[in-house]
Amino acid sequence: MENVSEGRDWSIPAVRWIFGSAVLLHVLLWTFGPFFFLPNYRLDTVEMLVIGQNWVLSTNKHPAMQSWIVESLGWLTHHAEWTPYLAAQLSVVFSVLGIWCMASRCFSRKVAVLVAIAMLGFYYFNYESIQYNNKSFYRAFWIWAAYFLSCAVEENRLRYWILTGICLAAGLYCNLMMFLLVLTILVYMALDPDARKYWKTSGPYVSTGVCFLLFLPLFVWIVQNDFPQLEHARRSISEDAGGIGGRLVHPLAFLGAQVLSWITIVLPLLPLTGFHWRWKRGIWGNSRQRLVFLLLWVPLLVELGTGMVTGGSISSGKGCQNWLFFLIFLFSVVRIRTEESAYRRAVVLCFANILFLFTLSVAVVVLGALRGTGTSRILYPGKALAGVVEQAWQEQTDAPLAWVRGDHWTAGCVSVYASSRPRVWSSLWSDEETFGRTGGMLVWIEPTPEAPTRRYSLLDWYGTDLYYGEADEPTEWLKKFPQAVVLPDVVLEHHYGRQRPSIKVGMAYVPPEVWEPGHALQP
């Protein structure tokens, strides 16, 4: 790509100071800020923490690498409450650093650093980043795999081909949607004349071999467990299928959500681009430009095509990786101003954007908490529930609470907030006999007049356990534990808004070493 800027470039210390200051501000706000305005972890974060305690290769829903990362970080932070937020921001830093490296190969230093810090306004890098989940580091490995591939095509050095394979495999251990990048790379290697010639060299085959060897243990697990991720995807599509209308409405809704996810990274750069963009000629100028173009459009077209074929809804989060190089693409095809004052205004706006988006997120959460009337996960009294469950256990025995099982959200909150960090029982990492020897606490949600419907039932992301009957009571499930002592129900209130329905949780105590085999039932 040609250098899109003119005039004096900024010094290396200057761009490093700008980048470091912006990243530090962002990390501090989004690591420690949520600790004060989010009373409870979001659902995906609870899931990552629960799985991380058990060091499995994968679950029935996703591979488990993100859980390994947050659990390892917890050892360093002594499992401080802000640990998953820190893990999320480390993934953002890793991502933005990769974008900066990629932009530095395309533009001048001052344009590259603006591209990088403007990306801190990306929806999935601010408010949505605190929902630490299977896409957090997946996005980072997507970026670095593309970066190393670009380096490999330009320089044909063995280390870049190897690093490409490593990043692809790491991304697959985070999220199997990484195969979208594999597909994009194949399209790029087939269409791009500069890349196509490498099929006659060892480079692409080295990347493939490295990726396959690293991915092999996970692939074996998937095969041995009858491809559970595919079954999960199939169920998700079939449950949301909307017929002929859905084949049009769902893709359009997905596109609308994508625009909202990247608009906040474009606004701070308006001093450079202006409101009326002036397009350059030729978006296929060189190999890097073609790679960035394909990274934007191939995954997007695949996702839209899938939605149109199946009729199922397309989660907006499935497009999070499509826009990671959007600003590089934009600056490649749009003419930008060259005045030094325009660059300085853009830097100020990027910093202001970081502060504005954080303030907006706090306002949305707080106002939503005060005005809302329904049940809410982020306002859930998870800490209070964990304290009640742990106290109920300690009143029965001096042994530490090792296991909690039942409703996946309720049990997960007890697991991550209780001081003893009990593990959530699952057939993926334990068995009934182990649970019987140590005992544990059973938890489930009781219906109330204000909240008669049940929101959580099967633990399908780590193995089916709890199931409810027709009367929303786990009567049959409790028969698996003939020695269980059913305790009084617990009634708790949401944080902030008292107009929200009360939360009623059922509990039972299973004593250690009294379990009798042969009582397991199937739902």
Side-chain angles (χ1 to χ4, degrees):
M1 295 178 197
E2 73 273 16
N3 192 332
V4 299
S5 65
E6 298 177 5
R8 181 177 61 86
D9 200 2
W10 293 342
S11 66
I12 293 177
V15 296
R16 287 178 176 174
W17 185 89
I18 292 170
F19 180 82
S21 300
V23 167
L24 180 61
L25 174 63
H26 182 91
V27 169
L28 289 176
L29 288 175
W30 288 106
T31 297
F32 301 106
F35 180 76
F36 296 101
F37 73 88
L38 283 182
N40 206 85
Y41 292 135
R42 298 172 70 180
L43 176 62
D44 287 359
T45 303
V46 171
E47 179 179 328
M48 295 297 107
L49 292 168
V50 167
I51 296 170
Q53 288 181 287
N54 297 281
W55 293 98
V56 292
L57 195 60
S58 179
T59 69
N60 297 341
K61 189 176 177 182
H62 295 296
M65 185 175 182
Q66 323 258 11
S67 298
W68 308 341
I69 294 173
V70 72
E71 182 67 14
S72 300
L73 188 61
W75 292 348
L76 300 177
T77 63
H78 300 286
H79 300 287
E81 195 170 326
W82 42 264
T83 300
Y85 302 136
L86 176 60
Q89 297 319 305
L90 290 178
S91 74
V92 171
V93 173
F94 193 30
S95 299
V96 175
L97 182 61
I99 293 171
W100 189 23
C101 289
M102 187 72 150
S104 296
R105 297 180 69 90
C106 305
F107 310 124
S108 64
R109 287 191 291 269
K110 60 183 178 182
V111 173
V113 75
L114 277 171
V115 166
I117 65 174
M119 281 301 298
L120 292 171
F122 188 40
Y123 174 67
Y124 295 98
F125 287 168
N126 47 79
Y127 177 71
E128 192 61 21
S129 74
I130 59 178
Q131 176 150 268
Y132 181 77
N133 59 21
N134 61 296
K135 293 186 178 70
S136 297
F137 278 93
Y138 154 74
R139 290 186 288 263
F141 288 120
W142 178 290
I143 292 169
W144 283 101
Y147 169 73
F148 288 129
L149 175 66
S150 176
C151 295
V153 170
E154 289 188 16
E155 303 180 26
N156 194 27
R157 294 187 180 181
L158 181 62
R159 67 172 180 266
Y160 290 134
W161 292 109
I162 293 174
L163 288 169
T164 300
I166 291 173
C167 289
L168 287 173
L172 289 169
Y173 273 89
C174 294
N175 193 318
L176 293 180
M177 282 184 64
M178 196 72 171
F179 279 115
L180 271 178
L181 180 56
V182 175
L183 174 62
T184 304
I185 290 175
L186 290 175
V187 173
Y188 167 68
M189 297 287 290
L191 296 181
D192 186 83
D194 294 332
R196 191 164 55 237
K197 64 185 180 182
Y198 288 112
W199 288 115
K200 298 179 181 180
T201 69
S202 61
Y205 307 102
V206 170
S207 292
T208 303
V210 169
C211 179
F212 177 76
L213 288 176
L214 294 175
F215 178 64
L216 187 59
L218 178 58
F219 178 73
V220 171
W221 186 96
I222 292 172
V223 173
Q224 289 177 342
N225 288 272
D226 298 325
F227 301 91
Q229 289 86 1
L230 292 180
E231 175 61 19
H232 173 75
R234 184 196 65 78
R235 285 205 317 270
S236 299
I237 293 173
S238 62
E239 290 173 358
D240 295 332
I244 297 177
R247 298 175 195 275
L248 178 62
V249 173
H250 290 155
L252 289 176
F254 175 73
L255 280 177
Q258 298 311 295
V259 173
L260 294 176
S261 71
W262 60 255
I263 194 69
T264 51
I265 66 177
V266 174
L267 292 177
L269 301 177
L270 288 178
L272 296 180
T273 64
F275 287 96
H276 301 288
W277 293 351
R278 297 171 298 160
W279 302 96
K280 298 178 182 179
R281 292 184 178 180
I283 60 174
W284 294 86
N286 58 39
S287 184
R288 264 175 294 173
Q289 210 163 352
R290 293 187 286 269
L291 175 59
V292 169
F293 177 84
L294 293 172
L295 286 168
L296 171 62
W297 289 106
V298 171
L300 181 61
L301 292 175
V302 170
E303 290 156 353
L304 290 174
T306 302
M308 295 179 70
V309 170
T310 64
S313 63
I314 313 172
S315 169
S316 60
K318 291 182 179 178
C320 65
Q321 71 285 330
N322 301 348
W323 312 102
L324 296 171
F325 295 110
F326 178 70
L327 290 181
I328 297 178
F329 169 75
L330 181 66
F331 277 22
S332 302
V333 298
V334 172
R335 298 184 185 277
I336 63 175
R337 297 171 181 170
T338 60
E339 300 88 349
E340 184 70 14
S341 59
Y343 287 91
R344 295 186 182 278
R345 287 198 303 272
V347 170
V348 172
L349 286 177
C350 286
F351 276 84
N353 197 40
I354 294 172
L355 294 171
F356 168 74
L357 292 173
F358 177 78
T359 305
L360 178 64
S361 300
V362 174
V364 169
V365 171
V366 173
L367 291 177
L370 296 176
R371 296 172 60 89
T373 58
T375 56
S376 170
R377 291 191 182 107
I378 62 173
L379 304 179
Y380 193 83
K383 298 175 189 175
L385 175 62
V388 170
V389 172
E390 197 165 34
Q391 181 179 359
W393 170 266
Q394 292 170 349
E395 289 175 353
Q396 304 291 332
T397 178
D398 294 331
L401 176 59
W403 295 104
V404 59
R405 63 190 292 181
D407 181 271
H408 79 283
W409 168 251
T410 310
C413 287
V414 173
S415 174
V416 300
Y417 284 118
S419 59
S420 56
R421 299 190 74 233
R423 297 161 65 189
V424 175
W425 185 93
S426 167
S427 58
L428 284 179
W429 50 71
S430 187
D431 53 47
E432 296 283 2
E433 185 175 357
T434 300
F435 179 81
R437 286 197 302 268
T438 59
M441 291 295 292
L442 310 178
V443 292
W444 62 91
I445 298 175
E446 293 281 9
T448 63
E450 300 84 2
T453 58
R454 191 169 311 286
R455 295 180 61 189
Y456 316 104
S457 54
L458 298 181
L459 300 133
D460 60 351
W461 51 271
Y462 59 78
T464 300
D465 184 27
L466 172 66
Y467 48 96
Y468 295 101
E470 294 181 359
D472 277 345
E473 295 291 342
T475 306
E476 293 298 314
W477 177 69
L478 287 172
K479 291 181 180 178
K480 294 170 64 173
F481 316 100
Q483 304 297 332
V485 179
V486 178
L487 302 175
D489 293 338
V490 178
V491 179
L492 301 170
E493 302 294 336
H494 282 85
H495 289 272
Y496 304 138
R498 296 298 178 182
Q499 68 273 27
R500 296 180 184 273
S502 300
I503 296 168
K504 190 176 182 180
V505 178
M507 295 190 305
Y509 162 72
V510 179
E513 300 179 345
V514 296
W515 178 78
E516 297 179 9
H519 291 278
L521 298 175
Q522 296 299 322

